[in-house]
Amino acid sequence: MTVASAPLRVLIGKVGLDGHDRGVKLVVRALRDAGVEIIYTGLHQTPEQIVSTAIQEDVQAIGLSIHSGAHNSLFPRVLALLKEQGAGDVTLFGGGIIPDDDVPRLKAAGVQMLFRPATPMHDIVDFVKGLRTDR
Amino acid sequence: MSQAGAGRSLKREDAAVMAEQVMAGEIRAVARVITWLEDQQPLGPAVIQQLLLPARRAMVIGITGYPGTGKSTVIDHLITAYRRLGHRVGVLAIDITSPVTGGALLGDRIRMQHHADDPNVYIRSMATRGQQGGLARATRGALQVLEAAAYDVILIETVGVGQNEIDIMQMAHTVVALVAPGLGDDIQAMKAGLLEVADIVVVNKADREGADAAIRDLREWCPHVIRTVAVKGDGIAELIAAIAEHERLKDLAQMPS
Ligand code: B12
Ligand SMILES: Nc1nc2c(ncn2[C@@H]2O[C@H](COP(=O)(O)OP(=O)(O)O)[C@@H](O)[C@H]2O)c(=O)[nH]1
Ligand SMILES: [Mg+2]
């Protein structure tokens, strides 16, 4: 049935003042090669831009890359905006430089998964391929 | 939102509700119906059937040209210009699906992201999902959705591989084809393919060597050749004027006499 084979749509981007895009580019390529439709926003996005883009593009999930140290404010802000704009069912995940101590708090706040340096690419691909596709 | 996660279980009445929301310009409804069309869910066409087009029809502009010629950058500036004129703008940006993996990297919007949080601009990236001819199978339906949502100007960026881009001719009132100097056989190939579908030809990247020769050459083939440097916004006003003039002549031609 066509519905079951409809590709996942996932927004990937970098938020804030942060030019570290090597990792995110690898992630984008790996996901495309795994059959995912990636909407890539590029660098320097605000949480507002991320959320309105996610809604316009009707993605199932958002993956954010953060190396700037601002993860403790950026992830919760995106979650709050998603909820505020009626898109609370969009999965939020991410990666980059996120210290151990911050992970439990971000997960409790609703970030589904965080991938840190040296994560094997197939772990990321498996996670994304496991997301719900029906809607 | 009520329709989230329920695409397969919604009934006919729900299609009517969704159609209402689309016509009210509710962005999440617009986005979700386009998803249903892309995923070939029966509810997509069911909503389309219930859509009424506004009395004042949208201006639909197709932008084609080989990858890298500057289509997305030109569209970014067209959005700015049409917003300044007070129009609500919709964009459908089509990129190619990998025939091997089925995945796609949809990157056109990178160039348009500063319009992302303008509530009067709707941008949707679409993957071709195996469709030939420069558009996605769902592009026509998505265009109907944006028209019903009363966007004044709708810009469609095609894949731009050059061959068989006939579909855009049928969908858009005005087709703009981009070339850029220094892309090798580009201009010769244009004459064979893209020029047939183009109402207006744009020589973009006119800051590069070879632009003048390209313009001279193309003017022998096409009456409307415009020179732009999209990264700086140069020539965009002329392009807007040429599109308006083409629309006007087309309207005149279609008037009952
Ligand atoms: C290369 C690098 C740079 C390059 C970046 C080049 C580029 N275009 O990416 C340059 C030299 C430009 C640079 C500059 C700076 N850097 Co630097 N940089 C690094 C370095 C050494 C490696 C990063 C990297 O590319 N790793 C390789 C990739 C493949 O791994 P990755 O990015 O971690 O990605 C993996 C995962 O994190 C995850 N992932 C990442 N993003 C995403 C997204 C999603 C959706 C998912 C699912 C997964 C995911 O998956 C990837 C695969 O495993 C790190 C140190 C380190 N060991 O990480 C510092 C580091 C990130 N930089 C740092 C700093 C401070 C800076 C500067 C501020 C330095 C300065 N004072 O000028 C500037 C800021 C520049 C800017 N505009 O942001 C700090 C950040 C500290 C912090 N956040 O607390 C680090 C950690 C170094 C340190 N130990 O202090 N940097
Ligand atoms: N030098 C120059 N570069 C341009 C111009 N317009 C666009 N570009 C660059 O050309 C590249 C491709 O542009 P893009 O809009 O993505 O092209 P598309 O693939 O046709 O959509 C980008 O790096 C742009 O910054 C221009 O007028 N002059
Ligand atoms: Mg493009």
Side-chain angles (χ1 to χ4, degrees):
Chain A
M1 164 94 201
T2 45
V3 172
S5 63
L8 275 160
R9 287 171 63 85
V10 177
L11 183 159
I12 304 280
K14 289 210 53 102
V15 268
L17 281 176
D18 175 8
H20 295 91
D21 62 356
R22 282 188 196 165
V24 77
K25 282 181 169 165
L26 293 176
V27 170
V28 163
R29 208 171 318 143
L31 290 176
R32 181 199 59 191
D33 292 347
V36 179
E37 289 182 1
I38 303 296
I39 291 97
Y40 182 54
T41 62
L43 304 172
H44 307 317
Q45 302 293 297
T46 64
E48 286 77 8
Q49 284 176 306
I50 291 291
V51 170
S52 56
T53 300
I55 290 171
Q56 290 175 31
E57 299 282 0
D58 197 23
V59 293
Q60 280 106 332
I62 302 174
L64 298 181
S65 175
I66 305 178
H67 296 63
S68 65
H71 48 274
N72 285 328
S73 61
L74 292 172
F75 280 116
R77 178 80 184 128
V78 169
L79 285 166
L81 286 168
L82 282 170
K83 224 168 258 148
E84 204 177 291
Q85 297 180 31
D89 58 333
V90 175
T91 302
L92 180 64
F93 65 104
I97 304 292
I98 294 138
D100 286 343
D101 289 352
D102 295 336
V103 172
R105 193 162 6 118
L106 289 172
K107 284 196 171 168
V111 181
Q112 201 57 227
M113 196 66 104
L114 290 164
F115 299 94
R116 272 111 39 88
T119 307
M121 214 40 84
H122 63 80
D123 286 1
I124 296 172
V125 169
D126 288 348
F127 167 78
V128 172
K129 296 290 276 184
L131 295 171
R132 280 172 50 126
T133 59
D134 62 314
R135 55 208 174 141
Chain B
M1 184 150 97
S2 61
Q3 65 266 24
R8 272 184 282 188
S9 53
L10 282 186
K11 299 184 217 39
R12 271 210 77 73
E13 308 87 86
D14 302 309
V17 172
M18 246 348 219
E20 287 296 332
Q21 291 184 14
V22 166
M23 291 186 284
E26 158 65 66
I27 289 172
R28 281 171 306 158
V30 166
R32 183 55 51 90
V33 174
I34 295 176
T35 300
W36 288 342
L37 292 166
E38 287 194 304
D39 291 356
Q40 293 186 274
Q41 298 206 29
L43 263 164
V47 174
I48 293 265
Q49 273 185 9
Q50 313 239 9
L51 293 176
L52 306 170
L53 293 178
R56 192 159 65 95
R57 300 291 299 273
M59 178 159 84
V60 183
I61 304 162
I63 313 281
T64 184
Y66 287 114
T69 48
K71 297 181 294 297
S72 302
T73 311
V74 164
I75 288 177
D76 174 40
H77 286 273
L78 289 176
I79 298 171
T80 306
Y82 284 121
R83 287 294 298 127
R84 242 178 237 149
L85 293 168
H87 296 307
R88 295 175 67 234
V89 183
V91 179
L92 300 173
I94 294 93
D95 251 323
I96 203 148
T97 296
S98 158
V100 182
T101 68
L105 170 46
L106 308 174
D108 291 322
R109 17 171 356 127
I110 295 175
R111 320 244 177 257
M112 314 172 194
Q113 264 314 80
H114 56 273
H115 299 291
D117 42 23
D118 180 343
N120 291 307
V121 176
Y122 177 84
I123 302 172
R124 177 69 174 230
S125 312
M126 303 181 86
T128 53
R129 299 193 182 179
Q131 183 81 357
Q132 303 291 311
L135 300 175
R137 194 182 297 107
T139 303
R140 182 178 292 277
L143 174 59
Q144 286 174 276
V145 170
L146 294 187
E147 284 194 288
Y151 285 93
D152 304 301
V153 177
I154 300 168
L155 302 161
I156 305 178
E157 175 172 342
T158 80
V159 171
V161 281
Q163 302 292 303
N164 302 321
E165 296 225 332
I166 310 295
D167 293 347
I168 189 65
M169 254 177 101
Q170 291 165 352
M171 256 177 248
H173 310 144
T174 303
V175 177
V176 178
L178 262 68
V179 262
L183 285 181
D185 297 333
D186 196 19
I187 298 201
Q188 294 312 318
M190 271 267 318
K191 287 180 194 162
L194 292 180
L195 220 55
E196 284 173 21
V197 305
D199 301 302
I200 297 165
V201 173
V202 167
V203 177
N204 186 41
K205 307 198 185 184
D207 52 329
R208 291 203 180 159
E209 208 177 321
D212 291 333
I215 290 167
R216 239 178 290 125
D217 190 5
L218 284 163
R219 283 210 168 120
E220 289 174 21
W221 294 79
C222 178
H224 308 291
V225 181
I226 305 222
R227 135 195 220 114
T228 59
V229 183
V231 277
K232 293 192 204 144
D234 293 356
I236 298 298
E238 288 81 351
L239 177 56
I240 295 268
I243 293 169
E245 178 64 5
H246 182 261
E247 293 272 321
R248 195 180 66 82
L249 293 176
K250 203 157 174 170
D251 283 351
L252 275 180
Q254 282 167 1
M255 280 228 305
S257 48

